[in-house]
Amino acid sequence: MEMTANGATDCRYSCETAAQTLQWIHAIVDFLKPYSFLTNAHVVNFFKDRLWEAIDKEWIECLRNEPVENLLQIPSGVVQDHWPASLKKFILTLRSLVFPREQADLRTVLPSLNISSLSTVLAQGMNPKKKHEVEVLSAVVSYITNSVKAHTIVDVGAGQGYLAQVLSFHYQHSVVAIDASSHHGRVTDARAERIKKHYASQMRKSGPGKRSLIVPKTITCHVMSIDTLKDLTSITRFNDNEHDHDNVDTELQQPSCHGDNKTSVVLAGLHACGDLSVMMLKTFLDCEEVKAVVSVGCCYNLLSEVGFDNVDPQYGFPMSRGVKYAGLSLGKSLRDLACQSAERWRCLEIDDGVHNFELHAFRAAFQMVLNEYYPEVMTRSLSIGRQGKALRRLQKRGTFDSRLIHKDNACASLHHIRLKTEGKTEPEADDGISSLFEKASLSGRVSHSGSECDDIKSVDKYSLFLRYTQSGLYHLGLEPLQDIDFPRIWKEVEPFSKFIGLYWSLRAALGPLLETFLLLDRLLFLQEQGNTIEAVMLSIFDPALSPRNVAIIAKKN
């Protein structure tokens, strides 16, 4: 079986060979060099570092009055005719370097592949996104398993076992589902038992011609190293009629991956987080029993990286020699940025996009508060959670009403925020913080013009900034100080808040490119092994349903 990737017309590069992949990687590195003002910046420091001043003034003047819907299209590579030539070149060149996300014609790459629609029983509990992913990936994994004649599939990071159960019950493969959560293991077992009863009943009704049921085995294990994953592959042989659940709390002591073990394994992972996808690829190379791997990665922000994290030799980035010599380090900020999805941006409604930009403005303004009044916390990495997520959900339902602000002021809330913090109040729990945002309002959202609405919006944004700051301080465990001059800080930053949407859109456009860079590093790592490995990178899901849709598929020749 020969696997060949196909690409879209807007991408000028190929990754069918190691030389082509390395050329693509070098092109990305060369493109990024002049834009360090975007790659090295943090949006939380937008006001503090006056980041808009680094952007070409012609770009700023053009984009500051651009409709929000046009800004949301920038990460997808969409330009407008009236934009400056240099801006259009930046966006279009960037887009030409991004791996195509259109769903590949899988039957061209994997001849005779048959993607079956899941039965109601197997699809129970799946949302449309998960159902689509499991339908496609299970068919691909089954195809690869049959092509290499493997005995067992190991589903790495199995979650609630959806993929493992389809591979077992529908495609009749022996499957081991590994996940770090014992809760997920119990859910997988309980769900498999229900599916087993259904299939057993159907078999009895169909009369003679008895068929055995293959039920996935579940293992709870924190896969913290390649050795652990290699050891797990050595215990995959089990009775097809046996269904048990093992809890493994410590690193396994089984002998790892020797040629005298006749078991053959395919590793599969649907959105295995961070380093787990990397461990799969390394285990595929190091373990003779593993004949193939099908990996759809995610959570690049959780990758360990040389020079930025306290990591052992089993770091997640970089993997390939080519990227190591290319000299481009990422760091957590750019790994976070690699998680940005152009498809998600494009599908945002206008109000959601506006709200997204406003939240970034609140976060950057909150950074000004921290920098001035809490300088001691600026030395550590800060995470204040997803403040305003409930606000976005409520906005989506269209239930905002300016009257709620006045109602909120009368509520018996423990978060009493004034122009100046007048006294210490007992902080609410996290749910209380969320409820504050649910009660808050972004009035004037129905109409985005008019001086009266602008005045109302200005007041409302300031009120929300106060709430955001209060919940952020509580989340960080900081006491509200008496002398914080909130009005002054907001007055200083508000005139420049209109720039944060265009800045964030330009920076988010780098997300798909950085993800491409990380994926090409993984592919090149496999290609550098020579002719003993056959590897391909494919967009296997519909990006409208599943934006994180790129699979790396490899097998040993």
Side-chain angles (χ1 to χ4, degrees), residues 157-159 178-185 219-224 248 276:
I178 302 172
D179 196 85
S181 169
S182 57
H183 170 72
H184 283 166
I219 296 178
T220 299
C221 180
H222 287 268
V223 181
M224 303 301 293
V248 184
L276 193 55

Side-chain angles (χ1 to χ4, degrees), residues 497-508:
S497 62
K498 58 189 174 185
F499 298 144
I500 204 164
L502 65 90
Y503 182 89
W504 180 225
S505 300
L506 291 171
R507 192 165 189 270

Side-chain angles (χ1 to χ4, degrees), residues 118 122-135 160 162 191 270-271 344 545-546:
L118 297 183
L122 283 175
Q124 184 179 7
M126 299 184 194
N127 59 28
K129 173 181 178 290
K130 182 64 68 177
K131 182 174 182 289
H132 169 69
E133 292 169 346
V134 172
E135 282 179 345
Q160 297 188 36
Y162 294 131
R191 190 173 184 275
L270 175 55
H271 296 147
R344 291 275 165 82
L545 286 171
S546 180

Side-chain angles (χ1 to χ4, degrees), residues 116-255:
S116 303
S117 181
L118 297 183
S119 67
T120 304
V121 174
L122 283 175
Q124 184 179 7
M126 299 184 194
N127 59 28
K129 173 181 178 290
K130 182 64 68 177
K131 182 174 182 289
H132 169 69
E133 292 169 346
V134 172
E135 282 179 345
V136 175
L137 188 59
S138 62
V140 171
V141 173
S142 180
Y143 182 98
I144 297 298
T145 301
N146 291 333
S147 72
V148 298
K149 297 179 173 57
H151 301 123
T152 304
I153 298 167
V154 177
D155 182 4
V156 182
Q160 297 188 36
Y162 294 131
L163 176 64
Q165 288 156 5
V166 172
L167 288 168
S168 289
F169 290 108
H170 183 75
Y171 289 101
Q172 290 293 289
H173 292 293
S174 296
V175 183
V176 176
I178 302 172
D179 196 85
S181 169
S182 57
H183 170 72
H184 283 166
R186 290 191 294 271
V187 170
T188 300
D189 287 345
R191 190 173 184 275
E193 192 62 31
R194 292 195 299 271
I195 297 172
K196 178 181 177 181
K197 289 179 180 178
H198 170 80
Y199 273 82
S201 174
Q202 295 298 107
M203 288 166 56
R204 286 193 295 270
K205 291 177 182 178
S206 64
K210 188 175 179 181
R211 183 185 66 162
S212 63
L213 277 177
I214 300 178
V215 180
K217 178 178 180 178
T218 58
I219 296 178
T220 299
C221 180
H222 287 268
V223 181
M224 303 301 293
S225 69
I226 299 169
D227 289 338
T228 303
L229 189 54
K230 286 165 62 177
D231 288 340
L232 287 168
T233 65
S234 67
I235 59 170
T236 55
R237 192 186 293 266
F238 63 96
N239 189 312
D240 288 346
N241 294 314
E242 181 183 358
H243 180 212
D244 56 8
H245 178 236
D246 296 332
N247 288 294
V248 184
D249 297 322
T250 59
E251 188 168 310
L252 299 174
Q253 299 301 315
Q254 319 286 350

Side-chain angles (χ1 to χ4, degrees), residues 471-489:
S471 61
L473 290 174
Y474 167 70
H475 191 91
L476 293 174
L478 299 174
E479 295 288 339
L481 301 178
Q482 300 290 326
D483 60 342
I484 300 179
D485 193 345
F486 291 112
R488 175 183 59 78
I489 291 176

